[in-house]
Amino acid sequence: MPIIVNLDVMMAKRKISLGELAERINITQSNLSILKTGKAKAIRFSTLLSICSILDCQPGDILEYRPE
């Protein structure tokens, strides 16, 4: 898939766990895990906004396009 999710990288840089981030953005750990592993088919802008706010980053720090 040409869209790469680097959420795990940003979480490691900010030293925040999956459980803590899920709680702070108010989604389930399983849904956040699906996003983190790149298995999600879509992401709501409100969820992306919350993630960027908590991790103090830009959407481009989390999502990356790589042509196949």
Side-chain angles (χ1 to χ4, degrees):
M1 179 179 216
I3 300 295
I4 308 301
V5 180
N6 295 314
L7 182 57
D8 55 341
V9 174
M10 288 307 299
M11 289 172 56
K13 286 182 180 179
R14 302 299 189 255
K15 296 182 171 102
I16 188 169
S17 70
L18 183 76
E20 182 181 350
L21 183 59
E23 184 178 318
R24 291 180 67 182
I25 63 174
N26 199 30
I27 66 171
T28 65
Q29 286 187 32
S30 59
N31 282 341
L32 187 57
S33 179
I34 289 167
L35 177 61
K36 187 180 98 163
T37 58
K39 294 179 182 175
K41 299 294 181 195
I43 182 172
R44 293 177 187 251
F45 282 132
S46 59
T47 302
L48 185 58
L49 173 68
S50 296
I51 291 170
C52 289
S53 177
I54 299 297
L55 296 179
D56 189 29
C57 65
Q58 295 293 313
D61 296 328
I62 297 171
L63 301 174
E64 176 185 350
Y65 171 72
R66 287 191 202 157
E68 293 185 286

